[in-house]
Every structure is written in C-alpha cells, then in structure tokens.
Amino acid sequence: MTEHGTDEADEGAGPPVDESLVDEPPTATAEQPQPESHLLAESLRTFPWLRAAGVAIGTLAVEYLLVALLFLVGPSSVDLPELSDRLVQYGFVLYNAHHVPTLVTASDAEVYGSAARNVLYGAQGASVPPFVYFLIPVVALLVVGALFERYRGDTRSDSLLEEAALVGTGIGFGYVATGFAGSFVFVRTIMFDGGGEGQAAPAVLWLLILLFFFPLVFASLGAAARYLYADWASGA
C-alpha cells in the first residue's frame, strides 16, 4: 500500500474519542425499604390486651369470693333456703357494690312492671357496714392496677397518662365483658306477696357503664401510682 493510501485510511478513522465522555449504562441500585405504616400506635399494638382481660376475670372472681366469705364465715347472712339462690344473691351484692342496681321485672297476669333497687343503699343495722362492700371493688382494682403495671417492665409506655389509660382500658374491657356475661348467670325467680312471679337480675345498662368506669378510674390510679414509684425508685 502506498503512503498516500495510508494517509487516507488514517483520515477515515476519525479523531480519538475521550472515554470519560461516554455515558456508562445505568447500574441497578438496591431500593431502600420503606418504613412499615400502621393504623394503630405502637403502644396499642404491643399492649397485652388478652392478659389484661384475664386479670379482669380473676379480679371479679376474687371480689365475688370476698363477698361470699362475708356471708359464709362472716357476720352477714341471707335469708334464703336454697344454696343456689344464696349464691345468686352474693352476685347481686357484688353488682350493688359497683352501684349497679338489681332490676326486678314482673310480667305475669297479676303484676306488671319493673323496679330497680340496691340493697346496700340505706341499709340499717347491717352486721357489716355497707361501705365495706363498696370498698371491695375499689381496693381490688387499685391493687390489680399496680400489680399489672409492675409486671409491664420495659414494655410500658414512656408517657404516664398513656400508660395509666392503657392499663385502665385494658382491664376495663375484660371487666365489663365478664360482668355482662354474669348478668345472664345471676338471675333469680322471685314470688310476690300477691301471688305474682318475676325475675331479678343486674340492670344491664348500669352494668355496661359502671363496670367499665370502675377499672378505668381505679385500675388506672393503681397503675399510675406504681409507674411513679418505679420512676422514683430508679432515680434514687
């Protein structure tokens, strides 16, 4: 090949290309995981609701036993011949201690209507003062709220108000559900002086309100007291 031909070949090759100006093909980058979103706050999702419900059931069972003991081995008495009727009456007293009245309903041919009463209101000459029965659920829920908070440990909320509200609400749900179920168990047939027949049972509307209100207030107070004590003890 001639020298002239070599020069033409070199001219056809074009100018050199700067490799730094060439776009490199895009490389795949790992996508950053998005934070998981929840409708409920973490404190609501991690709270032991089932354990709180179990504690509520146990609390009402202990309260019932305390009321029964005041009648069985204590000075109180019930003038009812049948054991089943006496056991139901102990339940009525426990509901009355929560200020839930007993609703007596009659619907036979001779007597119609209903009446609510609380045997602890205005009781005269009682062997056990009525305030003792009123104290049973209050003291029990204060103690249970404090004990429940004690075993919460590091899982408790950082906010005192939130933690107390969670404990009171959690126990309250189980408390009112158990009390509502009990309203179908503690039912007694009664006979009126005029020959009519009726049924006595806890007033459900009052039950739904007060059996949630009691733990919401007193279990929350017990939990708050334990929360403050734990903070004081850890800082001492």
Side-chain angles (χ1 to χ4, degrees), residues 78-93 95-96 102-106 117 119 182-192 196-202:
V78 175
D79 188 17
L80 293 171
E82 297 292 335
L83 175 61
S84 60
D85 289 340
R86 294 198 297 271
L87 294 176
V88 170
Q89 187 62 29
Y90 303 155
F92 289 167
V93 174
Y95 282 104
N96 292 166
T102 303
L103 188 65
V104 180
T105 305
R117 66 187 184 121
V119 297
S183 67
F184 297 96
V185 177
F186 295 105
V187 180
R188 185 165 63 88
T189 300
I190 59 175
M191 301 298 296
F192 298 105
E197 184 178 289
Q199 278 193 334

Short mmCIF file of all heavy atoms in Angstrom, two decimals, residues 78-93 95-96 102-106 117 119 182-192 196-202:
data_model
loop_
_atom_site.label_atom_id
_atom_site.label_comp_id
_atom_site.label_asym_id
_atom_site.label_seq_id
_atom_site.Cartn_x
_atom_site.Cartn_y
_atom_site.Cartn_z
N VAL A 78 -77.97 -14.30 104.63
CA VAL A 78 -79.03 -14.15 103.64
C VAL A 78 -80.13 -15.14 103.99
O VAL A 78 -79.87 -16.34 104.16
CB VAL A 78 -78.51 -14.42 102.21
CG1 VAL A 78 -79.65 -14.38 101.21
CG2 VAL A 78 -77.46 -13.40 101.82
N ASP A 79 -81.34 -14.64 104.09
CA ASP A 79 -82.46 -15.48 104.49
C ASP A 79 -83.09 -16.13 103.27
O ASP A 79 -84.20 -15.80 102.85
CB ASP A 79 -83.50 -14.63 105.25
CG ASP A 79 -84.59 -15.50 105.86
OD1 ASP A 79 -84.37 -16.72 105.97
OD2 ASP A 79 -85.67 -14.96 106.20
N LEU A 80 -82.33 -17.06 102.67
CA LEU A 80 -82.82 -17.80 101.52
C LEU A 80 -82.52 -19.28 101.75
O LEU A 80 -81.39 -19.65 102.08
CB LEU A 80 -82.14 -17.33 100.23
CG LEU A 80 -82.47 -15.91 99.76
CD1 LEU A 80 -81.56 -15.50 98.60
CD2 LEU A 80 -83.93 -15.79 99.36
N PRO A 81 -83.52 -20.15 101.57
CA PRO A 81 -83.31 -21.57 101.89
C PRO A 81 -82.41 -22.30 100.90
O PRO A 81 -81.64 -23.18 101.29
CB PRO A 81 -84.74 -22.15 101.88
CG PRO A 81 -85.51 -21.23 100.97
CD PRO A 81 -84.91 -19.86 101.16
N GLU A 82 -82.50 -21.96 99.62
CA GLU A 82 -81.76 -22.69 98.60
C GLU A 82 -80.35 -22.12 98.45
O GLU A 82 -80.15 -20.91 98.41
CB GLU A 82 -82.47 -22.61 97.25
CG GLU A 82 -83.83 -23.27 97.24
CD GLU A 82 -83.74 -24.77 97.37
OE1 GLU A 82 -82.68 -25.34 97.00
OE2 GLU A 82 -84.71 -25.40 97.84
N LEU A 83 -79.37 -23.04 98.34
CA LEU A 83 -77.98 -22.60 98.16
C LEU A 83 -77.80 -21.83 96.85
O LEU A 83 -77.08 -20.83 96.81
CB LEU A 83 -77.05 -23.82 98.19
CG LEU A 83 -75.56 -23.54 97.90
CD1 LEU A 83 -74.98 -22.59 98.94
CD2 LEU A 83 -74.77 -24.84 97.84
N SER A 84 -78.46 -22.28 95.80
CA SER A 84 -78.32 -21.61 94.50
C SER A 84 -78.83 -20.18 94.58
O SER A 84 -78.23 -19.26 94.01
CB SER A 84 -79.08 -22.38 93.42
OG SER A 84 -80.46 -22.48 93.75
N ASP A 85 -79.93 -19.97 95.32
CA ASP A 85 -80.45 -18.61 95.48
C ASP A 85 -79.50 -17.74 96.28
O ASP A 85 -79.33 -16.55 95.99
CB ASP A 85 -81.82 -18.64 96.16
CG ASP A 85 -82.90 -19.19 95.26
OD1 ASP A 85 -82.70 -19.19 94.02
OD2 ASP A 85 -83.95 -19.63 95.77
N ARG A 86 -78.85 -18.32 97.28
CA ARG A 86 -77.89 -17.56 98.08
C ARG A 86 -76.67 -17.18 97.24
O ARG A 86 -76.16 -16.05 97.35
CB ARG A 86 -77.46 -18.36 99.31
CG ARG A 86 -78.59 -18.60 100.31
CD ARG A 86 -78.04 -18.99 101.67
NE ARG A 86 -77.31 -20.25 101.63
CZ ARG A 86 -77.86 -21.45 101.81
NH1 ARG A 86 -79.18 -21.54 102.02
NH2 ARG A 86 -77.14 -22.54 101.78
N LEU A 87 -76.20 -18.11 96.42
CA LEU A 87 -75.05 -17.79 95.56
C LEU A 87 -75.39 -16.68 94.57
O LEU A 87 -74.54 -15.82 94.29
CB LEU A 87 -74.60 -19.05 94.81
CG LEU A 87 -74.03 -20.19 95.67
CD1 LEU A 87 -73.71 -21.40 94.80
CD2 LEU A 87 -72.78 -19.72 96.41
N VAL A 88 -76.60 -16.69 94.05
CA VAL A 88 -77.03 -15.62 93.15
C VAL A 88 -77.12 -14.30 93.91
O VAL A 88 -76.74 -13.24 93.40
CB VAL A 88 -78.38 -15.98 92.49
CG1 VAL A 88 -78.95 -14.78 91.75
CG2 VAL A 88 -78.21 -17.14 91.54
N GLN A 89 -77.62 -14.35 95.15
CA GLN A 89 -77.74 -13.13 95.95
C GLN A 89 -76.37 -12.53 96.24
O GLN A 89 -76.22 -11.30 96.26
CB GLN A 89 -78.47 -13.43 97.26
CG GLN A 89 -78.80 -12.21 98.09
CD GLN A 89 -79.73 -11.25 97.39
OE1 GLN A 89 -80.55 -11.66 96.57
NE2 GLN A 89 -79.62 -9.96 97.71
N TYR A 90 -75.34 -13.35 96.43
CA TYR A 90 -73.99 -12.81 96.61
C TYR A 90 -73.56 -12.03 95.36
O TYR A 90 -72.90 -10.99 95.47
CB TYR A 90 -72.99 -13.94 96.87
CG TYR A 90 -73.31 -14.82 98.05
CD1 TYR A 90 -72.84 -16.15 98.11
CD2 TYR A 90 -74.09 -14.36 99.12
CE1 TYR A 90 -73.14 -16.96 99.19
CE2 TYR A 90 -74.38 -15.18 100.19
CZ TYR A 90 -73.91 -16.49 100.21
OH TYR A 90 -74.22 -17.31 101.28
N GLY A 91 -73.93 -12.56 94.21
CA GLY A 91 -73.63 -11.83 92.97
C GLY A 91 -74.35 -10.50 92.92
O GLY A 91 -73.77 -9.49 92.49
N PHE A 92 -75.62 -10.47 93.34
CA PHE A 92 -76.35 -9.21 93.37
C PHE A 92 -75.65 -8.19 94.26
O PHE A 92 -75.55 -7.00 93.91
CB PHE A 92 -77.77 -9.44 93.88
CG PHE A 92 -78.67 -10.17 92.93
CD1 PHE A 92 -79.88 -10.69 93.35
CD2 PHE A 92 -78.31 -10.35 91.60
CE1 PHE A 92 -80.71 -11.36 92.47
CE2 PHE A 92 -79.13 -11.03 90.71
CZ PHE A 92 -80.35 -11.53 91.15
N VAL A 93 -75.16 -8.64 95.41
CA VAL A 93 -74.48 -7.74 96.33
C VAL A 93 -73.19 -7.19 95.69
O VAL A 93 -72.86 -6.02 95.85
CB VAL A 93 -74.18 -8.45 97.67
CG1 VAL A 93 -73.32 -7.56 98.57
CG2 VAL A 93 -75.48 -8.82 98.37
N TYR A 95 -72.63 -6.75 92.45
CA TYR A 95 -73.05 -5.72 91.49
C TYR A 95 -73.48 -4.45 92.22
O TYR A 95 -73.16 -3.34 91.79
CB TYR A 95 -74.20 -6.25 90.62
CG TYR A 95 -73.78 -7.18 89.52
CD1 TYR A 95 -73.98 -8.56 89.63
CD2 TYR A 95 -73.17 -6.72 88.37
CE1 TYR A 95 -73.60 -9.42 88.62
CE2 TYR A 95 -72.79 -7.58 87.34
CZ TYR A 95 -73.00 -8.93 87.48
OH TYR A 95 -72.62 -9.79 86.48
N ASN A 96 -74.22 -4.61 93.31
CA ASN A 96 -74.63 -3.43 94.10
C ASN A 96 -73.43 -2.67 94.64
O ASN A 96 -73.47 -1.45 94.78
CB ASN A 96 -75.53 -3.87 95.26
CG ASN A 96 -76.88 -4.39 94.82
OD1 ASN A 96 -77.60 -5.01 95.60
ND2 ASN A 96 -77.26 -4.17 93.57
N THR A 102 -80.17 -3.92 91.21
CA THR A 102 -80.83 -5.16 90.81
C THR A 102 -82.21 -4.80 90.25
O THR A 102 -82.98 -4.09 90.89
CB THR A 102 -81.00 -6.11 92.02
OG1 THR A 102 -79.70 -6.37 92.58
CG2 THR A 102 -81.63 -7.41 91.59
N LEU A 103 -82.48 -5.28 89.05
CA LEU A 103 -83.74 -4.96 88.37
C LEU A 103 -84.71 -6.12 88.55
O LEU A 103 -84.43 -7.25 88.14
CB LEU A 103 -83.49 -4.70 86.88
CG LEU A 103 -84.67 -4.17 86.07
CD1 LEU A 103 -85.06 -2.79 86.56
CD2 LEU A 103 -84.31 -4.14 84.59
N VAL A 104 -85.83 -5.83 89.18
CA VAL A 104 -86.88 -6.83 89.40
C VAL A 104 -87.97 -6.57 88.38
O VAL A 104 -88.57 -5.49 88.34
CB VAL A 104 -87.44 -6.75 90.83
CG1 VAL A 104 -88.53 -7.80 91.03
CG2 VAL A 104 -86.32 -6.94 91.85
N THR A 105 -88.24 -7.57 87.55
CA THR A 105 -89.21 -7.44 86.46
C THR A 105 -90.31 -8.48 86.62
O THR A 105 -90.03 -9.66 86.86
CB THR A 105 -88.53 -7.63 85.09
OG1 THR A 105 -87.44 -6.73 84.98
CG2 THR A 105 -89.51 -7.37 83.95
N ALA A 106 -91.56 -8.01 86.50
CA ALA A 106 -92.71 -8.90 86.59
C ALA A 106 -93.59 -8.69 85.36
O ALA A 106 -93.82 -7.57 84.93
CB ALA A 106 -93.51 -8.61 87.85
N ARG A 117 -83.40 -1.65 92.54
CA ARG A 117 -83.03 -1.37 93.93
C ARG A 117 -81.61 -1.82 94.20
O ARG A 117 -81.07 -2.70 93.51
CB ARG A 117 -83.99 -2.05 94.91
CG ARG A 117 -83.93 -3.57 94.88
CD ARG A 117 -85.00 -4.20 95.71
NE ARG A 117 -84.87 -5.66 95.75
CZ ARG A 117 -84.70 -6.35 96.87
NH1 ARG A 117 -84.62 -5.74 98.04
NH2 ARG A 117 -84.61 -7.67 96.83
N VAL A 119 -79.53 -3.08 97.55
CA VAL A 119 -79.72 -3.47 98.94
C VAL A 119 -78.72 -2.80 99.87
O VAL A 119 -78.92 -2.78 101.09
CB VAL A 119 -79.64 -5.00 99.10
CG1 VAL A 119 -80.75 -5.68 98.32
CG2 VAL A 119 -78.27 -5.52 98.66
N GLY A 182 -71.97 -12.32 83.33
CA GLY A 182 -72.53 -12.71 84.63
C GLY A 182 -73.97 -12.31 84.82
O GLY A 182 -74.70 -12.93 85.60
N SER A 183 -74.42 -11.28 84.09
CA SER A 183 -75.81 -10.84 84.23
C SER A 183 -76.78 -11.90 83.72
O SER A 183 -77.97 -11.85 84.06
CB SER A 183 -76.02 -9.53 83.47
OG SER A 183 -75.90 -9.71 82.07
N PHE A 184 -76.31 -12.85 82.91
CA PHE A 184 -77.16 -13.95 82.46
C PHE A 184 -77.09 -15.14 83.41
O PHE A 184 -77.90 -16.06 83.30
CB PHE A 184 -76.74 -14.39 81.05
CG PHE A 184 -76.91 -13.33 80.00
CD1 PHE A 184 -75.84 -12.53 79.63
CD2 PHE A 184 -78.15 -13.12 79.41
CE1 PHE A 184 -76.00 -11.55 78.66
CE2 PHE A 184 -78.31 -12.14 78.44
CZ PHE A 184 -77.24 -11.35 78.07
N VAL A 185 -76.10 -15.12 84.29
CA VAL A 185 -75.95 -16.21 85.26
C VAL A 185 -76.64 -15.86 86.57
O VAL A 185 -77.36 -16.70 87.15
CB VAL A 185 -74.45 -16.50 85.50
CG1 VAL A 185 -74.28 -17.57 86.57
CG2 VAL A 185 -73.77 -16.91 84.21
N PHE A 186 -76.45 -14.63 87.03
CA PHE A 186 -77.04 -14.21 88.30
C PHE A 186 -78.47 -13.70 88.05
O PHE A 186 -78.75 -12.50 88.05
CB PHE A 186 -76.17 -13.13 88.95
CG PHE A 186 -74.81 -13.62 89.35
CD1 PHE A 186 -73.69 -13.28 88.62
CD2 PHE A 186 -74.65 -14.46 90.44
CE1 PHE A 186 -72.44 -13.74 88.97
CE2 PHE A 186 -73.40 -14.93 90.81
CZ PHE A 186 -72.29 -14.57 90.07
N VAL A 187 -79.35 -14.65 87.87
CA VAL A 187 -80.77 -14.39 87.66
C VAL A 187 -81.56 -15.27 88.63
O VAL A 187 -81.26 -16.47 88.76
CB VAL A 187 -81.20 -14.68 86.20
CG1 VAL A 187 -82.68 -14.41 86.02
CG2 VAL A 187 -80.37 -13.85 85.23
N ARG A 188 -82.55 -14.67 89.29
CA ARG A 188 -83.30 -15.43 90.29
C ARG A 188 -84.80 -15.15 90.11
O ARG A 188 -85.20 -14.01 89.90
CB ARG A 188 -82.85 -15.04 91.69
CG ARG A 188 -83.49 -15.85 92.81
CD ARG A 188 -82.72 -15.67 94.11
NE ARG A 188 -82.73 -14.30 94.57
CZ ARG A 188 -83.69 -13.78 95.36
NH1 ARG A 188 -84.72 -14.54 95.72
NH2 ARG A 188 -83.62 -12.54 95.77
N THR A 189 -85.57 -16.20 90.20
CA THR A 189 -87.03 -16.07 90.16
C THR A 189 -87.54 -15.73 91.56
O THR A 189 -87.14 -16.36 92.55
CB THR A 189 -87.68 -17.37 89.68
OG1 THR A 189 -87.19 -17.67 88.36
CG2 THR A 189 -89.19 -17.24 89.62
N ILE A 190 -88.42 -14.74 91.63
CA ILE A 190 -88.96 -14.32 92.93
C ILE A 190 -90.48 -14.38 92.88
O ILE A 190 -91.09 -14.29 91.82
CB ILE A 190 -88.49 -12.89 93.30
CG1 ILE A 190 -88.94 -11.89 92.24
CG2 ILE A 190 -86.98 -12.84 93.47
CD1 ILE A 190 -88.62 -10.45 92.61
N MET A 191 -91.07 -14.52 94.07
CA MET A 191 -92.52 -14.57 94.19
C MET A 191 -92.98 -13.34 94.96
O MET A 191 -92.40 -12.99 96.00
CB MET A 191 -92.96 -15.84 94.93
CG MET A 191 -92.52 -17.14 94.26
SD MET A 191 -93.24 -17.35 92.61
CE MET A 191 -94.98 -17.45 93.04
N PHE A 192 -94.01 -12.68 94.46
CA PHE A 192 -94.56 -11.51 95.12
C PHE A 192 -95.63 -11.92 96.12
O PHE A 192 -96.20 -13.03 96.05
CB PHE A 192 -95.15 -10.55 94.09
CG PHE A 192 -94.13 -10.01 93.11
CD1 PHE A 192 -94.08 -10.50 91.81
CD2 PHE A 192 -93.21 -9.05 93.49
CE1 PHE A 192 -93.15 -10.03 90.91
CE2 PHE A 192 -92.28 -8.57 92.60
CZ PHE A 192 -92.24 -9.06 91.30
N GLY A 196 -97.93 -13.06 92.36
CA GLY A 196 -97.26 -12.91 91.07
C GLY A 196 -95.83 -13.42 91.11
O GLY A 196 -95.24 -13.67 92.17
N GLU A 197 -95.27 -13.58 89.94
CA GLU A 197 -93.92 -14.09 89.80
C GLU A 197 -93.10 -13.15 88.93
O GLU A 197 -93.62 -12.54 88.00
CB GLU A 197 -93.95 -15.49 89.16
CG GLU A 197 -92.61 -16.17 89.06
CD GLU A 197 -92.71 -17.56 88.48
OE1 GLU A 197 -93.23 -18.46 89.16
OE2 GLU A 197 -92.30 -17.73 87.32
N GLY A 198 -91.81 -13.01 89.24
CA GLY A 198 -90.94 -12.13 88.47
C GLY A 198 -89.51 -12.63 88.48
O GLY A 198 -89.20 -13.68 89.06
N GLN A 199 -88.66 -11.86 87.85
CA GLN A 199 -87.24 -12.21 87.80
C GLN A 199 -86.40 -11.03 88.28
O GLN A 199 -86.73 -9.87 88.01
CB GLN A 199 -86.81 -12.58 86.38
CG GLN A 199 -87.12 -14.01 85.99
CD GLN A 199 -86.41 -14.42 84.72
OE1 GLN A 199 -86.08 -13.58 83.89
NE2 GLN A 199 -86.17 -15.71 84.56
N ALA A 200 -85.34 -11.36 88.99
CA ALA A 200 -84.38 -10.36 89.46
C ALA A 200 -83.05 -10.61 88.79
O ALA A 200 -82.59 -11.76 88.71
CB ALA A 200 -84.22 -10.44 90.98
N ALA A 201 -82.43 -9.55 88.28
CA ALA A 201 -81.14 -9.64 87.60
C ALA A 201 -80.48 -8.27 87.64
O ALA A 201 -81.15 -7.25 87.85
CB ALA A 201 -81.32 -10.11 86.15
N PRO A 202 -79.16 -8.20 87.44
CA PRO A 202 -78.49 -6.89 87.40
C PRO A 202 -79.02 -6.04 86.24
O PRO A 202 -79.34 -6.56 85.16
CB PRO A 202 -77.02 -7.24 87.20
CG PRO A 202 -76.90 -8.65 87.65
CD PRO A 202 -78.20 -9.30 87.33
#
